Coordinates of all heavy atoms in Angstrom, one line a residue:
M1 N 0.8 -1.2 0.0 CA 0.0 0.0 0.0 C 0.9 1.2 0.0 O 1.9 1.3 0.6 CB -0.9 0.0 1.2 CG -1.7 1.3 1.3 SD -2.7 1.4 2.9 CE -3.9 0.1 2.6
I4 N -0.2 7.2 3.1 CA -1.5 7.8 3.3 C -1.2 9.2 4.0 O -0.4 9.2 5.0 CB -2.4 7.0 4.2 CG1 -2.8 5.7 3.5 CG2 -3.7 7.8 4.6 CD1 -3.6 4.7 4.3
G5 N -1.8 10.2 3.6 CA -1.7 11.5 4.2 C -3.1 12.0 4.7 O -4.1 11.8 4.0
L6 N -3.1 12.5 5.9 CA -4.4 13.0 6.5 C -4.2 14.4 6.9 O -3.2 14.8 7.5 CB -4.7 12.2 7.8 CG -4.7 10.7 7.6 CD1 -4.2 9.9 8.8 CD2 -6.1 10.2 7.2
E8 N -6.6 17.5 8.7 CA -7.9 17.8 9.3 C -8.0 19.3 9.5 O -7.1 19.9 10.1 CB -8.0 17.1 10.6 CG -9.4 17.1 11.2 CD -9.5 16.0 12.3 OE1 -9.8 14.8 11.9 OE2 -9.4 16.4 13.4
V31 N -8.3 10.3 -1.7 CA -9.1 9.1 -1.3 C -10.5 9.5 -0.9 O -11.5 8.9 -1.3 CB -8.4 8.4 -0.1 CG1 -9.3 7.3 0.4 CG2 -7.0 7.9 -0.5
G32 N -10.6 10.7 -0.2 CA -11.9 11.2 0.1 C -11.8 12.1 1.3 O -10.8 12.4 1.8
T33 N -13.0 12.5 1.7 CA -13.1 13.4 2.8 C -14.1 12.8 3.8 O -15.0 12.1 3.4 CB -13.6 14.8 2.4 OG1 -14.9 14.7 1.9 CG2 -12.6 15.5 1.5
V34 N -14.0 13.2 5.1 CA -14.9 12.7 6.1 C -15.3 14.0 6.9 O -14.4 14.6 7.5 CB -14.3 11.7 7.0 CG1 -15.2 11.2 8.1 CG2 -13.8 10.5 6.2
K35 N -16.6 14.3 7.0 CA -17.1 15.3 7.8 C -17.3 14.7 9.2 O -18.1 13.9 9.4 CB -18.4 15.9 7.3 CG -18.2 16.6 6.0 CD -19.5 17.2 5.5 CE -19.3 17.8 4.1 NZ -20.5 18.2 3.5
I36 N -16.5 15.2 10.2 CA -16.4 14.5 11.5 C -17.5 15.1 12.4 O -18.1 14.5 13.2 CB -15.0 14.7 12.1 CG1 -14.0 13.9 11.2 CG2 -15.0 14.2 13.5 CD1 -12.6 14.2 11.5
N42 N -11.9 16.0 7.5 CA -10.6 15.3 7.3 C -10.5 14.9 5.8 O -11.4 14.4 5.2 CB -10.6 14.0 8.2 CG -9.3 13.4 8.3 OD1 -8.7 13.0 7.2 ND2 -8.8 13.2 9.5
V43 N -9.3 15.2 5.3 CA -9.0 15.0 3.9 C -8.0 13.9 3.8 O -7.0 14.0 4.5 CB -8.6 16.2 3.1 CG1 -8.3 15.9 1.7 CG2 -9.6 17.3 3.2
V44 N -8.2 12.8 3.0 CA -7.2 11.7 2.9 C -6.7 11.6 1.5 O -7.5 11.6 0.6 CB -7.9 10.4 3.3 CG1 -6.9 9.2 3.3 CG2 -8.6 10.5 4.7
H73 N -1.0 14.3 9.3 CA -0.2 13.1 9.6 C 0.0 12.4 8.3 O -0.8 12.3 7.4 CB -1.0 12.2 10.6 CG -0.2 11.1 11.1 ND1 1.0 11.3 11.8 CD2 -0.4 9.8 11.0 CE1 1.5 10.1 12.1 NE2 0.7 9.1 11.6
I75 N 1.4 8.6 7.0 CA 1.7 7.2 7.4 C 2.4 6.6 6.2 O 1.8 6.3 5.2 CB 0.4 6.3 7.7 CG1 -0.4 7.0 8.8 CG2 0.8 4.9 8.1 CD1 -1.8 6.4 9.0
P78 N 1.5 2.1 5.6 CA 0.3 1.7 6.4 C 0.1 0.2 6.2 O 0.3 -0.4 5.2 CB -0.8 2.5 5.9 CG -0.4 2.8 4.5 CD 1.1 3.0 4.5
D79 N -0.4 -0.4 7.3 CA -0.8 -1.8 7.2 C -2.1 -1.9 6.4 O -2.9 -1.0 6.3 CB -1.1 -2.3 8.7 CG -1.3 -3.8 8.7 OD1 -2.5 -4.2 8.5 OD2 -0.4 -4.6 8.9
D80 N -2.3 -3.0 5.8 CA -3.5 -3.2 4.9 C -4.8 -3.1 5.7 O -5.8 -2.8 5.1 CB -3.4 -4.6 4.2 CG -2.4 -4.7 3.1 OD1 -2.0 -3.6 2.6 OD2 -2.0 -5.8 2.8
A81 N -4.7 -3.3 7.0 CA -5.9 -3.2 7.8 C -6.4 -1.8 7.9 O -7.6 -1.5 8.1 CB -5.6 -3.7 9.2
I82 N -5.6 -0.8 7.6 CA -6.0 0.6 7.6 C -7.1 0.8 6.6 O -8.0 1.7 6.8 CB -4.8 1.5 7.2 CG1 -3.7 1.4 8.3 CG2 -5.2 3.0 7.0 CD1 -4.1 2.0 9.6
T83 N -7.2 0.1 5.5 CA -8.2 0.3 4.5 C -9.6 0.1 5.0 O -10.6 0.6 4.5 CB -8.0 -0.6 3.2 OG1 -8.0 -1.9 3.6 CG2 -6.7 -0.2 2.6
K84 N -9.7 -0.6 6.1 CA -11.0 -0.9 6.7 C -11.6 0.3 7.4 O -12.9 0.4 7.5 CB -10.9 -2.0 7.7 CG -10.6 -3.4 7.1 CD -10.4 -4.4 8.2 CE -10.0 -5.7 7.5 NZ -9.8 -6.8 8.5
I85 N -10.8 1.3 7.8 CA -11.3 2.5 8.4 C -11.3 3.7 7.5 O -11.8 4.8 7.9 CB -10.6 2.8 9.7 CG1 -9.1 3.0 9.6 CG2 -10.9 1.7 10.7 CD1 -8.4 3.5 10.8
L86 N -10.7 3.6 6.3 CA -10.7 4.7 5.4 C -12.1 4.8 4.7 O -12.8 3.8 4.7 CB -9.6 4.5 4.3 CG -8.2 4.7 4.8 CD1 -7.2 4.3 3.7 CD2 -8.0 6.1 5.3
P87 N -12.4 5.9 4.0 CA -13.6 6.0 3.3 C -13.8 4.8 2.3 O -12.8 4.3 1.8 CB -13.4 7.3 2.5 CG -12.5 8.1 3.4 CD -11.6 7.1 4.0
S88 N -15.0 4.4 2.2 CA -15.3 3.2 1.4 C -14.9 3.2 0.0 O -14.7 2.2 -0.7 CB -16.8 2.8 1.5 OG -17.5 3.9 0.9
F89 N -14.6 4.4 -0.6 CA -14.2 4.4 -2.0 C -12.7 4.3 -2.2 O -12.2 4.6 -3.2 CB -14.7 5.7 -2.6 CG -14.6 6.9 -1.8 CD1 -13.5 7.7 -1.6 CD2 -15.8 7.3 -1.0 CE1 -13.4 8.8 -0.8 CE2 -15.7 8.4 -0.2 CZ -14.6 9.1 -0.1
Y90 N -11.9 3.9 -1.2 CA -10.5 3.8 -1.3 C -10.1 2.6 -2.2 O -10.7 1.6 -2.3 CB -9.8 3.6 0.1 CG -8.4 3.4 0.0 CD1 -7.5 4.5 -0.2 CD2 -7.8 2.2 0.2 CE1 -6.2 4.3 -0.3 CE2 -6.4 2.0 0.1 CZ -5.6 3.1 -0.1 OH -4.3 2.9 -0.2

Side-chain angles (χ1 to χ4, degrees):
M1 176 185 291
I4 295 173
L6 306 148
E8 192 166 277
V31 175
T33 61
V34 179
K35 293 179 186 173
I36 298 168
N42 194 301
V43 181
V44 183
H73 190 60
I75 305 172
D79 188 274
D80 288 338
I82 295 291
T83 60
K84 293 178 183 176
I85 61 171
L86 288 175
S88 61
F89 39 83
Y90 179 73

